[in-house]
PDB file of all heavy atoms in Angstrom:
ATOM      1  N   MET A   1     107.798  31.094 -10.635  1.00 52.00           N
ATOM      2  CA  MET A   1     106.638  31.052  -9.663  1.00 52.00           C
ATOM      3  C   MET A   1     105.375  30.589 -10.386  1.00 52.00           C
ATOM      4  O   MET A   1     104.730  29.741  -9.895  1.00 52.00           O
ATOM      5  CB  MET A   1     106.443  32.469  -9.164  1.00 52.00           C
ATOM      6  CG  MET A   1     105.825  32.531  -7.755  1.00 52.00           C
ATOM      7  SD  MET A   1     106.583  31.378  -6.565  1.00 52.00           S
ATOM      8  CE  MET A   1     105.210  31.193  -5.466  1.00 52.00           C
ATOM      9  N   VAL A   4     105.527  26.926 -11.009  1.00 57.00           N
ATOM     10  CA  VAL A   4     105.302  26.125  -9.863  1.00 57.00           C
ATOM     11  C   VAL A   4     103.745  25.969  -9.580  1.00 57.00           C
ATOM     12  O   VAL A   4     103.260  24.933  -9.304  1.00 57.00           O
ATOM     13  CB  VAL A   4     105.974  26.709  -8.540  1.00 57.00           C
ATOM     14  CG1 VAL A   4     105.571  25.953  -7.304  1.00 57.00           C
ATOM     15  CG2 VAL A   4     107.482  26.603  -8.698  1.00 57.00           C
ATOM     16  N   SER A  27      91.263   1.486  -8.612  1.00 48.00           N
ATOM     17  CA  SER A  27      91.847   2.759  -8.428  1.00 48.00           C
ATOM     18  C   SER A  27      92.840   2.771  -7.268  1.00 48.00           C
ATOM     19  O   SER A  27      92.732   1.980  -6.326  1.00 48.00           O
ATOM     20  CB  SER A  27      90.808   3.714  -8.173  1.00 48.00           C
ATOM     21  OG  SER A  27      90.285   3.501  -6.838  1.00 48.00           O
ATOM     22  N   GLU A  29      95.536   1.588  -7.167  1.00 85.00           N
ATOM     23  CA  GLU A  29      96.203   0.300  -7.202  1.00 85.00           C
ATOM     24  C   GLU A  29      96.041  -0.612  -5.932  1.00 85.00           C
ATOM     25  O   GLU A  29      96.792  -1.378  -5.458  1.00 85.00           O
ATOM     26  CB  GLU A  29      97.681   0.519  -7.330  1.00 85.00           C
ATOM     27  CG  GLU A  29      98.027   1.115  -8.625  1.00 85.00           C
ATOM     28  CD  GLU A  29      99.540   1.651  -8.627  1.00 85.00           C
ATOM     29  OE1 GLU A  29      99.782   2.730  -8.273  1.00 85.00           O
ATOM     30  OE2 GLU A  29     100.368   0.815  -9.078  1.00 85.00           O
ATOM     31  N   VAL A  31      94.308  -3.665  -5.006  1.00 96.00           N
ATOM     32  CA  VAL A  31      93.760  -4.753  -5.856  1.00 96.00           C
ATOM     33  C   VAL A  31      92.971  -5.641  -5.022  1.00 96.00           C
ATOM     34  O   VAL A  31      93.393  -6.145  -3.967  1.00 96.00           O
ATOM     35  CB  VAL A  31      94.902  -5.561  -6.592  1.00 96.00           C
ATOM     36  CG1 VAL A  31      94.303  -6.567  -7.413  1.00 96.00           C
ATOM     37  CG2 VAL A  31      95.715  -4.532  -7.394  1.00 96.00           C
ATOM     38  N   ASN A  34      89.262 -12.407  -5.424  1.00 96.00           N
ATOM     39  CA  ASN A  34      88.601 -13.554  -4.761  1.00 96.00           C
ATOM     40  C   ASN A  34      87.585 -13.129  -3.676  1.00 96.00           C
ATOM     41  O   ASN A  34      87.644 -13.483  -2.552  1.00 96.00           O
ATOM     42  CB  ASN A  34      89.661 -14.407  -3.966  1.00 96.00           C
ATOM     43  CG  ASN A  34      90.555 -15.076  -4.943  1.00 96.00           C
ATOM     44  OD1 ASN A  34      90.300 -15.184  -6.143  1.00 96.00           O
ATOM     45  ND2 ASN A  34      91.699 -15.472  -4.491  1.00 96.00           N
ATOM     46  N   ASP A  59     100.621   2.901   3.542  1.00 96.00           N
ATOM     47  CA  ASP A  59      99.888   1.966   4.478  1.00 96.00           C
ATOM     48  C   ASP A  59      98.377   2.291   4.492  1.00 96.00           C
ATOM     49  O   ASP A  59      98.079   3.525   4.391  1.00 96.00           O
ATOM     50  CB  ASP A  59     100.411   2.046   5.901  1.00 96.00           C
ATOM     51  CG  ASP A  59     101.831   1.464   5.974  1.00 96.00           C
ATOM     52  OD1 ASP A  59     102.201   0.768   5.045  1.00 96.00           O
ATOM     53  OD2 ASP A  59     102.479   1.679   7.027  1.00 96.00           O
ATOM     54  N   CYS A  70      72.352  -7.235   6.139  1.00 98.00           N
ATOM     55  CA  CYS A  70      73.006  -7.574   7.409  1.00 98.00           C
ATOM     56  C   CYS A  70      72.618  -6.487   8.466  1.00 98.00           C
ATOM     57  O   CYS A  70      72.578  -5.330   8.100  1.00 98.00           O
ATOM     58  CB  CYS A  70      74.503  -7.424   7.218  1.00 98.00           C
ATOM     59  SG  CYS A  70      75.134  -8.674   6.050  1.00 98.00           S
ATOM     60  N   ILE A  73      77.771  -5.091  10.550  1.00 98.00           N
ATOM     61  CA  ILE A  73      78.999  -5.707   9.974  1.00 98.00           C
ATOM     62  C   ILE A  73      80.165  -5.465  10.876  1.00 98.00           C
ATOM     63  O   ILE A  73      80.428  -4.243  11.210  1.00 98.00           O
ATOM     64  CB  ILE A  73      79.161  -5.286   8.514  1.00 98.00           C
ATOM     65  CG1 ILE A  73      78.110  -5.894   7.655  1.00 98.00           C
ATOM     66  CG2 ILE A  73      80.570  -5.724   8.029  1.00 98.00           C
ATOM     67  CD1 ILE A  73      78.200  -5.672   6.161  1.00 98.00           C
ATOM     68  N   ASN A  82      95.065 -23.805  21.994  1.00 83.00           N
ATOM     69  CA  ASN A  82      94.889 -25.073  22.676  1.00 83.00           C
ATOM     70  C   ASN A  82      93.772 -25.884  21.989  1.00 83.00           C
ATOM     71  O   ASN A  82      92.947 -26.371  22.795  1.00 83.00           O
ATOM     72  CB  ASN A  82      94.695 -24.875  24.159  1.00 83.00           C
ATOM     73  CG  ASN A  82      95.822 -24.206  24.850  1.00 83.00           C
ATOM     74  OD1 ASN A  82      97.007 -24.381  24.450  1.00 83.00           O
ATOM     75  ND2 ASN A  82      95.532 -23.352  25.765  1.00 83.00           N
ATOM     76  N   VAL A  84      91.157 -24.906  20.675  1.00 92.00           N
ATOM     77  CA  VAL A  84      89.881 -24.258  20.787  1.00 92.00           C
ATOM     78  C   VAL A  84      89.815 -23.185  19.790  1.00 92.00           C
ATOM     79  O   VAL A  84      90.766 -22.352  19.615  1.00 92.00           O
ATOM     80  CB  VAL A  84      89.676 -23.674  22.234  1.00 92.00           C
ATOM     81  CG1 VAL A  84      88.421 -22.931  22.283  1.00 92.00           C
ATOM     82  CG2 VAL A  84      89.606 -24.927  23.203  1.00 92.00           C
ATOM     83  N   GLN A  94      89.799  -2.607  13.045  1.00 97.00           N
ATOM     84  CA  GLN A  94      90.365  -2.492  11.612  1.00 97.00           C
ATOM     85  C   GLN A  94      91.397  -3.503  11.317  1.00 97.00           C
ATOM     86  O   GLN A  94      92.111  -4.002  12.242  1.00 97.00           O
ATOM     87  CB  GLN A  94      90.831  -1.082  11.412  1.00 97.00           C
ATOM     88  CG  GLN A  94      91.825  -0.566  12.423  1.00 97.00           C
ATOM     89  CD  GLN A  94      92.282   0.855  12.119  1.00 97.00           C
ATOM     90  OE1 GLN A  94      93.138   1.035  11.229  1.00 97.00           O
ATOM     91  NE2 GLN A  94      91.753   1.871  12.817  1.00 97.00           N
ATOM     92  N   GLY A 109      90.026 -17.635   9.408  1.00 94.00           N
ATOM     93  CA  GLY A 109      90.946 -16.534   9.775  1.00 94.00           C
ATOM     94  C   GLY A 109      90.156 -15.227   9.795  1.00 94.00           C
ATOM     95  O   GLY A 109      89.094 -15.137  10.306  1.00 94.00           O
ATOM     96  N   LEU A 121      71.394 -16.284   1.152  1.00 97.00           N
ATOM     97  CA  LEU A 121      71.460 -15.886  -0.294  1.00 97.00           C
ATOM     98  C   LEU A 121      71.679 -17.177  -1.098  1.00 97.00           C
ATOM     99  O   LEU A 121      72.164 -18.225  -0.609  1.00 97.00           O
ATOM    100  CB  LEU A 121      72.639 -14.924  -0.511  1.00 97.00           C
ATOM    101  CG  LEU A 121      72.571 -13.693   0.310  1.00 97.00           C
ATOM    102  CD1 LEU A 121      73.775 -12.804  -0.060  1.00 97.00           C
ATOM    103  CD2 LEU A 121      71.273 -12.903   0.003  1.00 97.00           C
ATOM    104  N   GLY A 124      75.911 -19.180  -5.689  1.00 96.00           N
ATOM    105  CA  GLY A 124      76.282 -18.863  -7.033  1.00 96.00           C
ATOM    106  C   GLY A 124      75.840 -17.447  -7.445  1.00 96.00           C
ATOM    107  O   GLY A 124      76.197 -16.892  -8.460  1.00 96.00           O
ATOM    108  N   SER A 125      74.906 -16.842  -6.637  1.00 97.00           N
ATOM    109  CA  SER A 125      74.473 -15.474  -6.910  1.00 97.00           C
ATOM    110  C   SER A 125      75.508 -14.516  -6.545  1.00 97.00           C
ATOM    111  O   SER A 125      76.510 -14.809  -5.867  1.00 97.00           O
ATOM    112  CB  SER A 125      73.100 -15.206  -6.277  1.00 97.00           C
ATOM    113  OG  SER A 125      73.290 -15.187  -4.839  1.00 97.00           O
ATOM    114  N   ASP A 128      76.707  -7.128  -3.907  1.00 98.00           N
ATOM    115  CA  ASP A 128      77.802  -6.041  -3.804  1.00 98.00           C
ATOM    116  C   ASP A 128      78.264  -5.893  -2.367  1.00 98.00           C
ATOM    117  O   ASP A 128      77.392  -5.913  -1.425  1.00 98.00           O
ATOM    118  CB  ASP A 128      77.071  -4.719  -4.282  1.00 98.00           C
ATOM    119  CG  ASP A 128      77.118  -4.605  -5.737  1.00 98.00           C
ATOM    120  OD1 ASP A 128      77.734  -5.520  -6.417  1.00 98.00           O
ATOM    121  OD2 ASP A 128      76.564  -3.655  -6.256  1.00 98.00           O
ATOM    122  N   VAL A 145      78.401 -15.822  -3.977  1.00 97.00           N
ATOM    123  CA  VAL A 145      77.878 -16.553  -2.808  1.00 97.00           C
ATOM    124  C   VAL A 145      78.384 -18.032  -2.954  1.00 97.00           C
ATOM    125  O   VAL A 145      78.165 -18.672  -3.962  1.00 97.00           O
ATOM    126  CB  VAL A 145      76.357 -16.497  -2.679  1.00 97.00           C
ATOM    127  CG1 VAL A 145      75.888 -17.362  -1.431  1.00 97.00           C
ATOM    128  CG2 VAL A 145      75.906 -15.045  -2.556  1.00 97.00           C
ATOM    129  N   ASP A 154      91.410 -22.323  -0.324  1.00 46.00           N
ATOM    130  CA  ASP A 154      92.431 -21.586  -0.926  1.00 46.00           C
ATOM    131  C   ASP A 154      91.907 -20.233  -1.482  1.00 46.00           C
ATOM    132  O   ASP A 154      92.656 -19.444  -1.949  1.00 46.00           O
ATOM    133  CB  ASP A 154      93.084 -22.331  -2.031  1.00 46.00           C
ATOM    134  CG  ASP A 154      93.789 -23.535  -1.483  1.00 46.00           C
ATOM    135  OD1 ASP A 154      94.203 -23.474  -0.268  1.00 46.00           O
ATOM    136  OD2 ASP A 154      93.779 -24.573  -2.192  1.00 46.00           O
ATOM    137  N   SER A 157      88.520 -21.192  -5.701  1.00 37.00           N
ATOM    138  CA  SER A 157      87.453 -21.894  -6.399  1.00 37.00           C
ATOM    139  C   SER A 157      86.177 -21.112  -6.181  1.00 37.00           C
ATOM    140  O   SER A 157      85.822 -20.818  -5.067  1.00 37.00           O
ATOM    141  CB  SER A 157      87.280 -23.276  -5.938  1.00 37.00           C
ATOM    142  OG  SER A 157      87.075 -23.297  -4.544  1.00 37.00           O
ATOM    143  N   MET A 160      85.655 -14.590  -7.530  1.00 36.00           N
ATOM    144  CA  MET A 160      85.463 -13.674  -8.682  1.00 36.00           C
ATOM    145  C   MET A 160      86.176 -12.436  -8.566  1.00 36.00           C
ATOM    146  O   MET A 160      86.297 -11.928  -7.479  1.00 36.00           O
ATOM    147  CB  MET A 160      83.970 -13.549  -8.759  1.00 36.00           C
ATOM    148  CG  MET A 160      83.340 -14.468  -9.748  1.00 36.00           C
ATOM    149  SD  MET A 160      81.651 -13.861 -10.107  1.00 36.00           S
ATOM    150  CE  MET A 160      81.936 -12.533 -11.300  1.00 36.00           C
TER     151      MET A 160
END
Side-chain angles (χ1 to χ4, degrees):
Chain A
M1 207 47 204
V4 172
S27 70
E29 296 168 273
V31 182
N34 294 340
D59 291 345
C70 300
I73 288 183
N82 300 323
V84 173
Q94 53 178 282
L121 303 181
S125 64
D128 278 353
V145 179
D154 297 332
S157 56
M160 262 190 81

